[in-house]
Amino acid sequence: MNFLEKLVANWPALLTGLQETGLMMLISLFFCLIIGLPLGLGLFLVNPKVKRQPPLFYWLFNFIVTMIRSFPYLLLVIALIPVTRSILGKAFGPIPSAVPLSIVAIAIFARLVEQVLLDLPAEISDLANSLGTSKLQYIWHFLLVEARSGLVLAFTTTTVSLISYSTVMGIVGGGGIGDFAVRVGYQRYEYGIMYVAIVIMITLVFILQMLGNTLAQKLDKRK
């Protein structure tokens, strides 16, 4: 059996791996957006550089976010298996795999959101204060508007990182394209099939990065 015949024979498994990765990513990015964005905003608003006083819970959340980001991902996945099983009743498969992936996504995106907001000019806060805006108006009409380009790039960066993290899930029975590359390609010595999976993942990363960069440029008020 030549390479093309092997590729055709394994194509359904490859598509299944892509679907599993897509499901993991969609769930993780959903929680990343609805939790990571408010968390990043909160970290910015109580940051000592902004509020000029060191609140206790800023350092607490800062420690948690830093710890999650620095924790070796494979060990984090293994450590969270009991938690995932208690929440979903099972610990293996694409949906359970979204639990640790979501936690990492939230931590990464929250930190990036904080950094994007810290890079905004101080004049934005001064203008909002001079207009007598409420905290919600300041966030909605000033922070998010001025930082929208950077936030898109931060979300794009998080998405690209998650694609890399999702490939690890196959090692612990999470499925996905990484599981296909290891199980069908590497373990069966079908290196050509493995390289096809790698090329597909690299292509997805390039497409997502290009789309994110294009959208960020269109939203950039400085251009």
Side-chain angles (χ1 to χ4, degrees):
M1 184 180 293
N2 58 35
F3 170 72
L4 287 178
E5 290 174 338
K6 293 177 181 178
L7 180 60
V8 171
N10 288 288
W11 191 253
L14 176 59
L15 291 180
T16 299
L18 285 172
Q19 291 172 355
E20 291 172 344
T21 296
L23 180 59
M24 280 186 257
M25 294 288 297
L26 285 175
I27 296 173
S28 303
L29 291 174
F30 171 76
F31 287 105
C32 165
L33 195 59
I34 66 171
I35 299 177
L37 180 58
L39 179 57
L41 280 166
L43 285 170
F44 166 76
L45 292 173
V46 298
N47 191 297
K49 296 179 181 178
V50 176
K51 203 172 181 181
R52 305 185 188 285
Q53 58 181 357
L56 177 62
F57 70 89
Y58 170 77
W59 298 114
L60 175 63
F61 282 109
N62 181 66
F63 171 76
I64 294 173
V65 168
T66 302
M67 182 183 68
I68 293 174
R69 291 187 64 202
S70 60
F71 207 95
Y73 183 64
L74 180 57
L75 296 181
L76 177 66
V77 172
I78 295 172
L80 288 175
I81 286 178
V83 178
T84 304
R85 184 179 285 111
S86 66
I87 295 173
L88 300 175
K90 58 181 180 178
F92 306 107
I95 294 179
S97 297
V99 173
L101 205 59
S102 297
I103 293 174
V104 171
I106 291 168
I108 293 175
F109 189 51
R111 178 63 75 205
L112 291 176
V113 168
E114 181 191 16
Q115 293 302 319
V116 168
L117 296 176
L118 285 172
D119 288 337
L120 292 177
E123 290 79 7
I124 295 175
S125 177
D126 296 336
L127 176 60
N129 290 332
S130 67
L131 295 174
T133 59
S134 65
K135 184 70 70 174
L136 184 60
Q137 289 173 329
Y138 171 55
I139 293 172
W140 186 257
H141 295 290
F142 289 87
L143 286 182
L144 294 181
V145 171
E146 294 295 328
R148 58 188 180 181
S149 176
L151 292 176
V152 168
L153 288 177
F155 191 71
T156 302
T157 300
T158 304
T159 304
V160 169
S161 299
L162 287 191
I163 293 178
S164 176
Y165 284 122
S166 70
T167 59
V168 178
M169 301 311 301
I171 299 177
V172 292
I177 188 67
D179 173 65
F180 171 84
V182 173
R183 179 172 47 82
V184 177
Y186 177 74
Q187 292 181 351
R188 297 181 184 178
Y189 301 101
E190 300 289 353
Y191 296 114
I193 302 295
M194 182 181 69
Y195 293 140
V196 169
I198 292 173
V199 169
I200 290 175
M201 287 187 286
I202 293 174
T203 303
L204 287 174
V205 168
F206 270 103
I207 292 174
L208 290 171
Q209 188 69 61
M210 186 170 56
L211 290 175
N213 290 345
T214 301
L215 180 59
Q217 288 178 356
K218 290 183 178 181
L219 293 175
D220 193 346
K221 297 179 64 177
R222 296 171 296 181
K223 296 184 180 293

